[in-house]
Amino acid sequence: QVQLVESGGGLVQPGGSLRLSCAASEYISSTYTMGWYRQAPGKQRELVAAITSGGNSNYADSVKGRFTISRDNAKNTVYLQMNSLKPEDTAVYYCNGRNLFSGSYYTPWGQGTQVTVSS
């Protein structure tokens, strides 16, 4: 079973940038769309950005124009470049893959990486 490890989070001031990485323990099948999700305290987990194996991406309205998702299939790694960060971006960020046919996710979810945007 694929294991996912997120890294790159931290404390950043509003307007700053961070780059998150998600390393998979083995090959990520092309049948999986990879995504970054986030969960803020007291809120449900939400999809922030997703990318197919072919490189097609989509974003939540709240991050469009600020975040960029990318995928290095050779390195089994997914990235999330976050620019112009806002306090409301504060959350634990997770990555996971969703199977295009079954809709299932890799299990278990990783530990996530904390992003805190504060002055």
Side-chain angles (χ1 to χ4, degrees):
Q1 183 65 289
V2 173
Q3 295 185 359
L4 303 165
V5 179
E6 303 92 345
S7 62
L11 173 64
V12 63
Q13 292 186 342
S17 299
L18 284 173
R19 188 193 195 206
L20 306 184
S21 298
C22 170
S25 59
E26 58 188 69
Y27 170 72
I28 301 173
S29 170
S30 59
T31 61
Y32 279 81
T33 292
M34 296 301 295
W36 281 96
Y37 302 77
R38 67 186 181 188
Q39 187 167 19
K43 294 188 177 181
Q44 288 190 330
R45 189 174 296 174
E46 63 173 347
L47 177 64
V48 173
I51 187 167
T52 67
S53 61
N56 294 316
S57 59
N58 61 278
Y59 299 88
D61 287 344
S62 59
V63 307
K64 278 181 182 176
R66 301 188 297 120
F67 290 10
T68 303
I69 189 171
S70 60
R71 176 173 178 165
D72 187 333
N73 292 328
K75 294 183 177 180
N76 301 325
T77 302
V78 182
Y79 304 96
L80 185 68
Q81 178 67 44
M82 305 187 296
N83 299 327
S84 301
L85 283 161
K86 304 175 180 180
E88 52 263 43
D89 294 318
T90 296
V92 179
Y93 284 70
Y94 303 87
C95 73
N96 208 327
R98 186 172 185 184
N99 189 284
L100 294 173
F101 302 105
S102 68
S104 61
Y105 293 91
Y106 289 124
T107 56
W109 287 69
Q111 300 266 350
T113 186
Q114 175 71 47
V115 172
T116 303
V117 185
S118 175
S119 55

